[in-house]
Amino acid sequence: VAGAGVETMLMEEDPRYLEATEYLLLLEERLKKAVRASDEIVSAVNTLGLIVGNFGENAHILGDCEEKGAKVLLGAEAGGLGQAFRQVGAAASALRAPTEAQAARLAEAFRAPLKRGLCLVQAAKETIDLRTDALLKLQTARARCEQKRVKLEAALSGTTPTSSSTGMSGSTGSIGGGGGGGGG
């Protein structure tokens, strides 16, 4: 429909609204990046907990193997290195739960607000889209109304010799000459 394009819409928009819309799009882009980064951080901390836990289990197993092997080779004097490996393994395994808890705290305190902010920005974008659609429909209706008004004025100016005040050039000299059909 003539007169209801995006260019016309942007011409009728408030410049402050357009600036706010651009800011909102920029904010959404930055929030998406921040959410991705927070996901990576939380995942890295969680993975660290798993790795430390696995290291602890493996160190404990290595300590058991060392102690058994040393006893076979050295007899009663053996066991110090195996005991050290087991202690390191126990300490590393003990770090697993706090590290996983830290990942959960990060997810709650850091990632969750970012995701909530992103949801709010996306809701605002949906509102902007609805507003844009409404403005487009309004402009389309205005254009149709104007076309029908011009058509009606042309029809009226063709049937009444004294109504040439519309500025339209038409057949004002003919009586009942019909200006091209009915309105409507």
Side-chain angles (χ1 to χ4, degrees):
V1 175
V6 173
E7 298 82 21
T8 306
M9 262 182 17
L10 291 177
M11 288 173 50
E12 289 189 23
E13 280 289 6
D14 180 12
R16 293 177 303 184
Y17 179 78
L18 292 174
E19 288 175 14
T21 302
E22 289 175 21
Y23 173 74
L24 193 65
L25 294 175
L26 179 64
L27 184 62
E28 179 190 31
E29 179 182 320
R30 289 181 179 174
L31 276 172
K32 283 181 180 178
K33 288 179 183 177
V35 166
R36 278 193 300 269
S38 70
D39 287 343
E40 291 171 5
I41 290 169
V42 170
S43 177
V45 171
N46 199 31
T47 301
L48 175 65
L50 294 173
I51 290 171
V52 167
N54 288 341
F55 171 75
E57 291 171 8
N58 290 332
H60 195 273
I61 292 170
L62 180 62
D64 289 344
C65 291
E66 169 61 29
E67 189 171 320
K68 289 177 186 175
K71 282 186 179 179
V72 169
L73 293 175
L74 300 174
E77 298 174 8
L81 186 58
Q83 182 66 26
F85 276 131
R86 280 197 301 277
Q87 288 175 350
V88 168
S93 293
L95 290 176
R96 181 177 189 164
T99 306
E100 289 174 347
Q102 177 66 21
R105 283 192 303 274
L106 277 174
E108 184 180 321
F110 181 57
R111 183 175 56 182
L114 289 173
K115 285 188 173 186
R116 176 71 178 140
L118 185 59
C119 287
L120 293 173
V121 167
Q122 289 171 341
K125 272 183 56 183
E126 289 176 18
T127 303
I128 288 171
D129 290 343
L130 291 173
R131 184 183 182 276
T132 302
D133 289 343
L135 184 59
L136 181 61
K137 288 177 183 178
L138 174 67
Q139 290 173 342
T140 302
R142 279 183 187 164
R144 286 182 182 160
C145 184
E146 181 63 23
Q147 288 172 350
K148 289 180 180 186
R149 186 187 62 78
V150 168
K151 191 174 182 180
L152 178 62
E153 287 176 357
L156 290 176
S157 68
T159 57
T160 55
T162 59
S163 68
S164 62
S165 64
T166 61
M168 302 287 298
S169 60
S171 55
T172 57
S174 63
I175 300 176

